[in-house]
Amino acid sequence: MSAGRARAGRSFLLIAPLVAFLVAFFVWPLFSMMSQSVSDTAVLRLLPHSAEVLAGWDRKSPPTPEMQAALIADLRAVDDQQALGDMVRRLNSARSGFRTLMSKTTAALADPAGPPVDLVSVDKRWGKPEFWLAIADALSPLTDRNLLAAVDLGRNADGHIEQLPPDQSVNRVILVRTFWISALVTFACMCIGYPYAIIAASLTGWKRDLMLAAVLLPLWTSLLVRTAAWFILLQEKGLINDLLQWLGLTSAPLPLIFNRTGVIIAMTHVLLPFMVLPIYSVLITIPKNLMPAAASLGAPPLRAFLRVLLPLSLRGVASGGLLVFISAIGYYITPALIGGPGDQMISSIIAFYATGSANWGMAGALGVVLLVATLALYTVYARLSADEPGRR
């Protein structure tokens, strides 16, 4: 019994560094991102007294003197201007007008030792329950606001979920664009990768090794270098347009960059190995005598392919397609460099919220949406890639 425990302890010590690495660099960042999408403490941490008073408000009657006094005390106690700015942005996103309202109010409360201030006399909007409702709703430490906004939904004054106005509904369009571009890239990889995998599987010796090395070569090169290379090749004065005009196929440069065409070309080149390798791994397990047997039974080549080889290789095609699609929906560098404004994918919007506007809640929410879609597709991929019952 002690020997078994000792072996188990040694085994755990061997995998402990790997577990620590996964927790530190995968689980914790993932948990942090997901918590940001539902965390909403920007208002609560600056208005603790208001939270206590507003808990007993019926949300319909005009604001009471106790509510005003608590808000004044909280605002006068704020000494972090960055935190105040975060709170104002959060409230302004819930109710338009809070930015100017808070600016006037904080200016009136600038002197902590000054005389008592009536908020309604500072701005009449403080007498309206709608603005207090926005504060009351923002005091919860958890929120679904970002997750709903990630798919262009929101809550109305009654708390019911509804579609956001057209001028605020952009995320769903970008999500659809992301999936559409990913589907086009997957289809292009399938059209190129399937014949390539068939040829590679039919060869032997150094010829097969050469074809596999050619398809694996992009994986040994940095993604940024590959994208930069396509940026040069696809320009109006690039090698591709110069070659087409030299051959007389075109009379003017083709628009191959800063559009959807360039994005699909570059992403197809980058992701092609992820299509070829799964198909190739399935094709080499298919007995080579099946196609000659079908031909000997009178089947023409096309029918033999459709009835014999294609059904047996569909598992590899599906696995490769899902692997390419999963990889494509998270692409950032290639669409950012090669595509135009209408070709940016959801990863670019996540980067904008994270670095451009410092809105980590929305960045996390969009990341959660992308993560859910990826996990769903990966579940399908794992099922297709798993060994079939009785197969070794």
Side-chain angles (χ1 to χ4, degrees):
M1 191 71 176
S2 59
R5 290 180 178 177
R7 284 195 299 270
R10 288 194 297 268
S11 300
F12 176 77
L13 290 177
L14 288 174
I15 66 171
L18 176 60
V19 173
F21 177 84
L22 291 176
V23 171
F25 295 99
F26 181 74
V27 177
W28 175 248
L30 191 62
F31 174 78
S32 178
M33 180 197 70
M34 296 180 67
S35 63
Q36 286 284 345
S37 66
V38 296
S39 177
D40 190 14
T41 60
V43 179
L44 178 61
R45 62 175 176 161
L46 295 186
L47 305 180
H49 299 94
S50 300
E52 296 177 2
V53 176
L54 286 170
W57 182 45
D58 62 4
R59 302 172 63 90
K60 296 180 181 178
S61 59
T64 63
E66 291 78 10
M67 294 164 55
Q68 295 192 39
L71 181 60
I72 290 173
D74 287 332
L75 291 178
R76 280 180 167 170
V78 174
D79 57 358
D80 187 344
Q81 293 301 314
Q82 182 176 355
L84 179 62
D86 293 339
M87 183 188 72
V88 171
R89 282 193 295 270
R90 167 65 180 90
L91 293 174
N92 194 70
S93 66
R95 182 75 184 181
S96 179
F98 253 109
R99 195 177 302 276
T100 57
L101 177 60
M102 279 295 182
S103 178
K104 292 177 60 177
T105 304
T106 53
L109 302 176
D111 185 6
V117 177
D118 180 21
L119 291 181
V120 179
S121 64
V122 174
D123 195 299
K124 293 182 179 180
R125 285 175 289 183
W126 283 121
K128 299 180 180 180
E130 306 89 78
F131 288 88
W132 292 92
L133 275 172
I135 295 177
D137 293 337
L139 288 172
S140 173
L142 298 176
T143 180
D144 60 356
R145 182 176 61 94
N146 293 321
L147 291 175
L148 292 174
V151 289
D152 292 339
L153 297 175
R155 293 189 181 273
N156 56 23
D158 298 327
H160 299 142
I161 297 176
E162 63 180 10
Q163 178 73 32
L164 291 177
D167 58 336
Q168 302 177 24
S169 304
V170 294
N171 292 328
R172 193 178 298 177
V173 173
I174 298 172
L175 281 170
V176 172
R177 179 197 302 161
T178 298
F179 289 121
W180 175 242
I181 292 177
S182 301
L184 291 177
V185 171
T186 302
F187 179 76
C189 287
M190 196 175 298
C191 292
I192 300 173
Y194 191 80
Y196 192 97
I198 291 178
I199 296 173
S202 64
L203 299 176
T204 58
W206 66 269
K207 296 179 180 179
R208 174 185 289 184
D209 295 338
L210 182 62
M211 291 198 69
L212 291 178
V215 79
L216 287 172
L217 184 61
L219 296 179
W220 303 334
T221 310
S222 169
L223 173 61
L224 184 59
V225 172
R226 284 176 279 169
T227 303
W230 279 110
F231 185 86
I232 297 173
L233 291 173
L234 296 174
Q235 295 184 52
E236 289 189 359
K237 296 297 183 180
L239 179 61
I240 294 177
N241 271 314
D242 287 347
L243 179 62
L244 291 175
Q245 293 181 72
W246 180 74
L247 294 174
L249 299 177
T250 60
S251 58
L254 296 176
L256 299 177
I257 197 169
F258 304 132
N259 53 31
R260 189 72 51 86
T261 303
V263 171
I264 293 174
I265 292 174
M267 289 182 64
T268 299
H269 168 254
V270 172
L271 294 173
L272 186 60
F274 298 103
M275 178 66 71
V276 173
L277 295 179
I279 299 176
Y280 169 80
S281 65
V282 172
L283 288 174
I284 59 175
T285 63
I286 300 175
K288 296 184 179 298
N289 59 355
L290 292 182
M291 291 294 286
S296 67
L297 294 174
L302 180 59
R303 186 172 184 182
F305 168 76
L306 295 176
R307 298 293 297 273
V308 178
L309 187 61
L310 181 60
L312 292 175
S313 61
L314 279 180
R315 186 164 165 266
V317 174
S319 297
L322 285 170
L323 190 58
V324 170
F325 190 86
I326 289 172
S327 303
I329 59 178
Y331 256 54
Y332 170 66
I333 294 177
T334 305
L337 292 181
I338 305 297
D343 305 305
Q344 301 307 304
M345 300 169 70
I346 194 65
S347 53
S348 300
I349 308 304
I350 294 175
F352 165 75
Y353 279 118
T355 61
S357 62
N359 190 345
W360 285 96
M362 273 303 300
L366 289 170
V368 168
V369 172
L370 192 60
L371 176 64
V372 170
T374 303
L375 289 177
L377 291 170
Y378 183 77
T379 302
V380 177
Y381 170 74
R383 287 180 176 272
L384 291 173
S385 301
D387 288 338
E388 297 176 358
R391 184 175 178 176
R392 296 290 185 269

